[in-house]
Amino acid sequence: MPGRPNFNAIVKQTSQKALEANPREVEAFTKLNLCNRGLVIIPRLEANLVEIDLSGNGLVRTTGLANLHHLQKLVLTSNHITELQDLTGLPALQHLLLQGNFLCTLQDVGLHMLAQLPQLQSLYLQNSDTSQPNPVCSRPEYKSVVLTTLTHLRNLDGERRPSCRDELASKADDSLPNITKLSSDEADITKFLPSEWDAWLAEDADVGTQHAHSDLHQAGAATAKALDECNVLSGSLKDELAKVDRLLKQ
């Protein structure tokens, strides 16, 4: 029976392949996908990584991530993590995904540790539709305590911080009259939205909302197509009614 694969060697080999493919741009190797590899511990990782996907493994602890000073996105979904540890060495971390783990209490989440990550903007302990929740998500004080402790957080479980939503909503009020005047010739409704919405739509592009902007364009185009089809059907119906009228008069 083959032994457990050496994941430290896998990481090293992957790095070497990237280096050989592009020897003059070593820094281009900044994203690493180790999902569904059967990992039970986090292997030693390259210090220049910006994104790491460790989802779908058997990780219980988050040790082994120290000194990844450039890391911006960490995906740890669908593991067996019961407590967050040793994340203070990630000063550039912006997005932390932890859905589908076993964090039972707010202490397990390590809020005071996360509060020391100045760039952290998005935290997912469950999906926006409440699927894949950690047990802590069912606690009544969960959201209020997290948002109160992590004052710099802008997105919790796919939901904007209330203050951010209110600001965007107030700036959208002036745009609503223009949107209601939208015709089939003006399928792109995004041009009527406040300029701040472009940044909002793009801000979490890598954390579950990367298709939001394109979906908005597609929805407008689909609406325009439906209106055109209705116009064609309406014309056809008028022609048929005219034929019936002529037959009745014969």
Side-chain angles (χ1 to χ4, degrees):
M1 182 174 179
R4 180 177 295 276
N6 187 329
F7 287 101
N8 286 330
I10 291 175
V11 173
K12 184 176 180 180
Q13 291 171 6
T14 307
S15 303
Q16 185 61 33
K17 288 180 180 178
L19 177 58
E20 292 172 353
N22 200 357
R24 296 185 179 180
E25 297 184 14
V26 181
E27 293 183 359
F29 181 65
T30 58
K31 299 181 180 181
L32 181 63
N33 187 333
L34 287 176
C35 63
N36 301 312
R37 297 293 186 93
L39 294 172
V40 293
I41 60 172
I42 298 174
R44 190 175 67 175
L45 300 167
E46 299 293 332
N48 65 327
L49 288 170
V50 173
E51 296 184 11
I52 303 174
D53 187 347
L54 288 161
S55 59
N57 287 292
L59 302 175
V60 177
R61 295 183 295 275
T62 56
T63 54
L65 294 168
N67 302 318
L68 297 179
H69 299 305
H70 303 288
L71 190 64
Q72 297 178 10
K73 180 181 177 182
L74 177 59
V75 182
L76 292 166
T77 58
S78 301
N79 277 282
H80 301 151
I81 298 170
T82 58
E83 181 182 5
L84 292 186
Q85 300 170 310
D86 299 337
L87 298 182
T88 53
L90 308 175
L93 189 64
Q94 299 178 16
H95 308 296
L96 179 58
L97 286 73
L98 292 156
Q99 305 99 307
N101 280 285
F102 297 96
L103 300 167
C104 296
T105 69
L106 291 168
Q107 184 176 357
D108 295 337
V109 177
L111 292 180
H112 294 294
M113 175 183 62
L114 297 181
Q116 299 178 48
L117 303 177
Q119 302 299 320
L120 188 63
Q121 300 176 16
S122 299
L123 175 64
Y124 282 75
L125 291 164
Q126 61 182 353
N127 292 319
S128 57
D129 60 359
T130 69
S131 62
Q132 287 191 292
N134 280 266
V136 68
C137 298
S138 64
R139 301 181 69 90
E141 73 278 14
Y142 161 63
K143 284 189 176 181
S144 60
V145 173
V146 171
L147 291 174
T148 300
T149 306
L150 305 181
T151 56
H152 50 288
L153 199 68
R154 297 179 62 85
N155 183 332
L156 177 60
D157 300 335
E159 182 178 354
R160 306 290 297 183
R161 177 182 286 274
S163 59
C164 299
R165 294 199 307 271
D166 293 343
E167 180 182 354
L168 288 166
S170 64
K171 290 179 179 178
D173 287 341
D174 294 337
S175 300
L176 291 178
N178 290 326
I179 295 176
T180 58
K181 297 176 183 177
L182 185 65
S183 70
S184 61
D185 296 328
E186 298 170 318
D188 184 7
I189 67 173
T190 57
K191 64 184 178 182
F192 294 111
L193 299 177
S195 59
E196 289 84 356
W197 282 38
D198 282 332
W200 172 56
L201 288 169
E203 181 180 290
D204 299 311
D206 295 326
V207 195
T209 59
Q210 59 266 39
H211 301 299
H213 212 162
S214 61
D215 286 349
L216 202 55
H217 286 276
Q218 292 172 8
T223 301
K225 182 179 179 181
L227 288 172
D228 289 339
E229 291 176 351
C230 286
N231 288 332
V232 172
L233 290 173
S234 177
S236 299
L237 182 59
K238 289 180 180 178
D239 292 340
E240 293 300 321
L241 288 174
K243 292 178 181 179
V244 172
D245 186 56
R246 287 195 298 270
L247 289 172
L248 291 174
K249 291 179 178 180
Q250 290 178 357

